[in-house]
Amino acid sequence: MQSFMLRATTCVSALALVVAPAYAQQQHQHTMVNPDEITWKDAPPSLPKGAQMSLLYGDPAKDGMFVMRLKFPANYKIPAHTHPTDEVITVVSGEFSIGMGAAFDPAKTKAITTGGVIAMAPGTQHYAQVGKETVVQLSTRGPWSIAYVNPADDPRKSQ
């Protein structure tokens, strides 16, 4: 019996040594960021030109949670599109007007003001516009992608 317990303990210990580093590599480090520490760069080419982004946590290209801020210039529009995962958007500053459906219709948008939140299920068709510079925070899971309802609206096609 002692031999069995020794072998079992050895196997469990060996497994822990193999699994623990792999598990640790998948875990994100903590992040603490103040607004004055945010660095902006051009948004991904999947968004219309003019937007800026700042990745605050995680990696949108990998499986797992990430948080990104997006800054849109005045009069910016995003055509109707979907995402493959849940999406939670918080308006940090400005006003973000969002509509649901396959066709962009400014008359059917709802203005979400600073502090407001939008939550959408995977596959929800939606579009957005801003009248003045607006910053939103996107919290979702990667890998992140955007699929335009009308492929002709995809800014990647014009590059």
Side-chain angles (χ1 to χ4, degrees):
M1 181 69 165
Q2 285 181 333
S3 173
F4 171 75
M5 292 300 289
L6 181 59
R7 280 185 280 152
T9 302
T10 303
C11 287
V12 169
S13 297
L15 182 60
L17 289 173
V18 171
V19 172
Y23 180 75
Q25 288 175 355
Q26 293 175 2
Q27 300 303 305
H28 295 289
Q29 296 297 317
H30 71 277
T31 300
M32 295 183 284
V33 180
N34 282 310
D36 62 341
E37 299 168 327
I38 293 175
T39 302
W40 295 99
K41 65 179 187 176
D42 289 341
S46 57
L47 290 173
K49 285 194 184 296
Q52 293 183 304
M53 67 155 291
S54 180
L55 185 60
L56 303 177
Y57 176 80
D59 184 343
K62 295 181 180 174
D63 183 47
M65 181 73 185
F66 75 90
V67 178
M68 171 179 17
R69 287 216 178 150
L70 295 165
K71 184 189 300 184
F72 304 115
N75 304 313
Y76 188 83
K77 294 180 182 179
I78 305 172
H81 62 280
T82 63
H83 304 284
T85 58
D86 292 303
E87 188 171 59
V88 178
I89 299 169
T90 303
V91 180
V92 176
S93 66
E95 186 174 279
F96 190 74
S97 295
I98 187 163
M100 301 296 159
F104 194 100
D105 184 351
K108 293 184 179 177
T109 61
K110 178 177 181 173
I112 307 300
T113 58
T114 299
V117 173
I118 304 152
M120 292 174 282
T124 301
Q125 293 181 341
H126 61 285
Y127 48 90
Q129 68 179 10
V130 301
K132 60 183 176 181
E133 182 179 273
T134 297
V135 175
V136 300
Q137 183 165 299
L138 171 65
S139 302
T140 188
R141 293 193 61 80
W144 186 77
S145 66
I146 182 170
Y148 288 90
V149 174
N150 179 353
D153 289 335
D154 191 332
R156 295 167 287 200
K157 306 251 181 193
S158 63
Q159 295 179 0

